[in-house]
Amino acid sequence: MPNQASNVNYIPQRTCVICRKKKNQSELIRFVILENGVIFDLNRTLKSRGLYVCDNDECLNGIEKWKKKYRKKKSKTK
């Protein structure tokens, strides 16, 4: 009998920043926002705050519009 505290079958969940649906991390595309723009982190190795988006045209096309709101919101909290 496996240890119940074990994380063997754990699958990380993330939320798409556009449609707000929760999905398995492997089903989403990770990206980071740097000074020079949006960078898709397909290998998930960049050392920055990672954000996730669905792999469909509707969500991918919504990143630019979302980015403007995100920057406004982030500048208000500083």
Side-chain angles (χ1 to χ4, degrees), residues 19-62:
C19 68
R20 308 300 298 166
K21 291 182 183 174
K22 284 195 172 216
K23 296 185 178 186
N24 292 343
Q25 181 180 9
S26 61
E27 296 175 25
L28 299 169
I29 298 173
R30 182 179 191 265
F31 69 96
V32 295
I33 297 177
L34 301 175
E35 293 174 9
N36 54 346
V38 173
I39 307 223
F40 289 97
D41 185 14
L42 301 178
N43 294 326
R44 300 170 197 252
T45 57
L46 292 177
K47 303 274 184 192
S48 186
R49 171 80 171 130
L51 303 159
Y52 293 84
V53 66
C54 294
D55 187 12
N56 64 46
D57 291 338
E58 189 174 320
C59 290
L60 289 170
N61 291 334

Side-chain angles (χ1 to χ4, degrees), residues 3-18:
N3 181 351
Q4 290 186 355
S6 172
N7 291 329
V8 172
N9 295 323
Y10 175 73
I11 299 172
Q13 297 281 303
R14 299 292 183 262
T15 303
C16 173
V17 295
I18 306 299

